[in-house]
Amino acid sequence: MGDLARRDVLSWLGKGALGAVALGAVGQPAMAATGVTVLRGATLIDGTGRAPVRDATIVLAGDRILAAGRHRDVPRGVRVIDVAGKYVIPGLWDMHTHATFLENTVAPLHVVQGVTGIREMWGQSETHDTRRRIESGEILGPRMVIASAIVDGPGSIWPGADIVRTPQEARAAVRRAKDGGADFVKVYSFLSPECYAAIAAEARRLRIPFAGHVPARVPVQDALAQHTHEHMYNLFTSTSDNADDLYAQLRAMPDDPADPNWWGRHGGRIERAAVATHSPARARKLFAAMVERGTWQSPTLFVERNMSRSPETIANDPVALERMRYVPVALRAQWQTIMSGRPARTPEQVAELLKFGDARMRLLREMHEAGVGVVAGTDAGFAYVFPGFSLHDELVLLVRAGLTPGQALRSATSEAARCLGLEHETGTATPGKQADLVVLDADPLRDITNVSRVHAVVSRGRYLGPADRARILREIEAAAREPVEVRATMGCCVH
C-alpha cells in the first residue's frame, strides 16, 4: 500500500471511535505491509449477540479486523470485495477434533468449510508440527489449541495413551503434558477416582487446564474443576436418585485386561438405565454448581447420534459417501474397519439409542437454560465424522436441542473463544480481533442449516472466495487419494 492510500485509511479510521481500538491492536506497520481489504454490503452477524448490521462494511488489514459496522464510504486505494446479499459471521471453532496432523486434507478441509479454529483433543508430536507450519503460513489450516496425550487408567483402549495407576503416576503425567507443550491435559474414562483427583490437584498447582471425559467411576459433581466435560457422559448416572448405588457398582467392577471395553458395555448400560431414576432437583443443583465453578459442556451431539445407528446405515449414508472423497484413503479404510467390527443393530435397538439421545438433548436444554456454558464440538476425525462438515451438523442438533440459532452460532464463536480464554483475540467480528470470517449465502439466524451455505472464508486475513474454495477442495480430493501413514487408532471415544 502506498503512503497516500495508507494516509487515507488512517484518516478514515480516525473519523470514528473504532479507529483507535483497531489501530492499537494492528499497528500502522502491519497495515502498511499487508494492505487493506474491505468486505462491503453484507449483513454482519458479529457474534456478540447484538442485532445484525445490514449493508455492513468490514475492513481487514493483515490478520486483524480494523472496522466492522455501518460506514457509508470506504478509504481510497484498497481492495473492495462486494458481498451484497450475503451474511458474514465470525470464523467457527470446532471444540473437539482429531487427526489435523493430516495437513494436506483434514487441516484445509476445516478451513474451506468455515472452521477457522479447532481444539485438537489428542496432542501428538505431528500435531504440534502441523500447528507450527500453519502459523508460519506454509500450509492452510485452522488455529489450533492442542491437548496432551490421553491420560487414562489401566484397560485403556487407545495405544499411545499415558497410562497411570497411582496418584504419583497421575501427577507425573500432568508434568509431562505441561513440559511437552500441551495447552491442556486430556483425561479419559478409565481413570480411577484417586488418580483423577491427583490430576486435578497437579493441574491446579501447575496452572494448566484439564478437560475430556468425566471418568466412568467419577460422579460429575466431583469433576467440577475439569474445564470442559465432553460428550455428556455420566450425567444421568450422576443425577439419578440412586446415584450412590450406581457409582458403587461402577467402582466395584474390576479392571479386565482381557476385556478392556467394560466401560462401553457396562457404564453405558448403567447411564441409559439411569434416565428412569433421573432427579430434576439433583440436576438443578449440579448445573448451578457447574455455573458457579465455570465448568463448560461440549456435548458432541452429532457423533453420538450418528453412532446410535446400525453400522451399515452409517457406512452407506449418501451424505457420508459424498463427503468421503475428501478423507485420506488410509483413514477411510480405518473408518470402514471400525464399522465392520461393530455388530448390526435391530430397529428396536436403534430406536432405544435414539430415545436416549433425545433424553440427552432435553437435559442439554435444561443445562443451557440454567446458565452452563455450552460449546460446539464434533469429534471430527473419528469414524464418519467429517472435518468441517460435521460442525454444521452439530449446530443443527444444538438448535434441535433447544438453543436458538444465534445461541448455537455463539457456541462455535464467542462462547468457544471465552471457553478457551481467547475472547480478546477471536470469537467475534469486531475491531481488533483476528481476521477470521465466514461469508454465507443465506441467513443462519433464520435457518441454522444456512451455516453450511459457505460462499467464502477469511482465514488469517486471507480471502478465499468461491473459486479459491473450489480449487482447495479439488486439491484435498487429490491428496486424499495418495497413500499416507495413519496411526492404528484415531479419535478418542467409544460410541
Side-chain angles (χ1 to χ4, degrees), residues 246-318:
L246 296 177
Y247 278 102
Q249 290 180 41
L250 284 166
R251 288 171 178 166
M253 291 180 184
D255 294 322
D256 185 356
D259 184 12
N261 194 26
W262 69 265
W263 153 245
R265 292 189 296 108
H266 295 292
R269 174 180 53 78
I270 289 172
E271 174 76 357
R272 290 191 295 274
V275 175
T277 56
H278 171 69
S279 166
R282 285 179 67 95
R284 286 193 296 270
K285 185 176 180 180
L286 172 60
F287 299 159
M290 292 177 72
V291 172
E292 183 179 357
R293 292 293 297 273
T295 309
W296 294 77
Q297 178 67 57
S298 173
T300 66
L301 297 174
F302 172 75
V303 65
E304 299 291 343
R305 200 154 190 94
N306 199 38
M307 292 299 149
S308 297
R309 301 190 292 164
S310 198
E312 75 282 356
T313 306
I314 300 170
N316 295 316
D317 186 290

Side-chain angles (χ1 to χ4, degrees), residues 75 105 166 363:
T105 50
T166 67
L363 195 63

Side-chain angles (χ1 to χ4, degrees), residues 63-411:
D63 188 21
R64 294 287 168 170
I65 299 171
L66 290 184
R70 292 294 298 273
H71 302 279
R72 288 188 176 181
D73 301 314
V74 296
R76 294 179 295 174
V78 300
R79 179 191 185 196
V80 178
I81 299 173
D82 183 4
V83 286
K86 308 299 183 184
Y87 294 79
V88 174
I89 62 173
L92 300 167
W93 279 82
D94 186 335
M95 294 289 283
H96 191 126
T97 70
H98 298 282
T100 309
F101 60 80
L102 296 168
E103 54 190 41
N104 293 327
T105 50
V106 172
L109 191 55
H110 280 296
V111 174
V112 294
Q113 296 302 326
V115 179
T116 57
I118 62 170
R119 187 174 60 148
E120 188 76 352
M121 295 300 291
W122 189 346
Q124 301 164 11
S125 59
E126 303 97 318
T127 314
H128 289 272
D129 291 342
T130 294
R131 177 163 66 178
R132 283 190 286 271
R133 281 192 283 274
I134 292 171
E135 294 292 340
S136 69
E138 295 176 55
I139 59 174
L140 177 65
R143 302 181 195 273
M144 298 173 69
V145 173
I146 302 176
S148 68
I150 289 174
V151 181
D152 204 2
S156 180
I157 62 173
W158 298 117
D162 194 345
I163 304 301
V164 300
R165 296 170 176 81
T166 67
Q168 182 180 4
E169 291 178 351
R171 289 189 290 269
V174 176
R175 294 192 293 272
R176 282 192 293 273
K178 187 173 179 68
D179 292 344
D183 296 313
F184 64 99
V185 178
K186 168 67 182 292
V187 293
Y188 203 74
S189 295
F190 291 81
L191 286 166
S192 70
E194 296 76 18
C195 287
Y196 180 80
I199 289 169
E202 189 71 359
R204 181 172 62 251
R205 187 181 74 83
L206 296 179
R207 297 184 178 180
I208 182 171
F210 72 106
H213 295 202
V214 176
R217 291 166 283 187
V218 175
V220 176
Q221 290 87 342
D222 294 343
L224 299 182
Q226 185 172 317
H227 189 58
T228 65
H229 295 173
E230 306 299 310
H231 313 302
M232 298 186 72
Y233 288 166
N234 305 5
L235 278 168
F236 283 108
T237 307
S238 295
T239 58
S240 168
D241 282 326
N242 300 329
D244 292 343
D245 291 340
L246 296 177
Y247 278 102
Q249 290 180 41
L250 284 166
R251 288 171 178 166
M253 291 180 184
D255 294 322
D256 185 356
D259 184 12
N261 194 26
W262 69 265
W263 153 245
R265 292 189 296 108
H266 295 292
R269 174 180 53 78
I270 289 172
E271 174 76 357
R272 290 191 295 274
V275 175
T277 56
H278 171 69
S279 166
R282 285 179 67 95
R284 286 193 296 270
K285 185 176 180 180
L286 172 60
F287 299 159
M290 292 177 72
V291 172
E292 183 179 357
R293 292 293 297 273
T295 309
W296 294 77
Q297 178 67 57
S298 173
T300 66
L301 297 174
F302 172 75
V303 65
E304 299 291 343
R305 200 154 190 94
N306 199 38
M307 292 299 149
S308 297
R309 301 190 292 164
S310 198
E312 75 282 356
T313 306
I314 300 170
N316 295 316
D317 186 290
V319 174
L321 292 173
E322 168 64 21
R323 296 173 178 178
M324 193 66 82
R325 57 183 166 153
Y326 303 115
V327 176
V329 287
L331 184 57
R332 190 183 312 174
Q334 188 183 107
W335 289 5
Q336 291 165 345
T337 298
I338 290 172
M339 286 299 108
S340 64
R342 295 168 65 95
R345 289 184 171 132
T346 67
E348 292 76 18
Q349 289 172 324
V350 171
E352 179 186 354
L353 289 170
L354 291 175
K355 182 179 179 182
F356 175 63
D358 291 340
R360 268 183 167 164
M361 292 172 75
R362 290 193 297 272
L363 195 63
L364 178 64
R365 178 174 184 168
E366 294 170 13
M367 183 184 295
H368 181 259
E369 290 176 346
V372 176
V374 174
V375 291
T378 67
D379 221 352
F382 183 75
Y384 294 85
V385 185
F386 295 86
F389 295 101
S390 59
L391 187 64
H392 306 159
D393 301 327
E394 186 72 15
L395 296 181
V396 171
L397 288 176
L398 286 171
V399 170
R400 192 182 302 175
L403 278 67
T404 67
Q407 290 168 338
L409 277 178
R410 290 193 293 278
S411 77

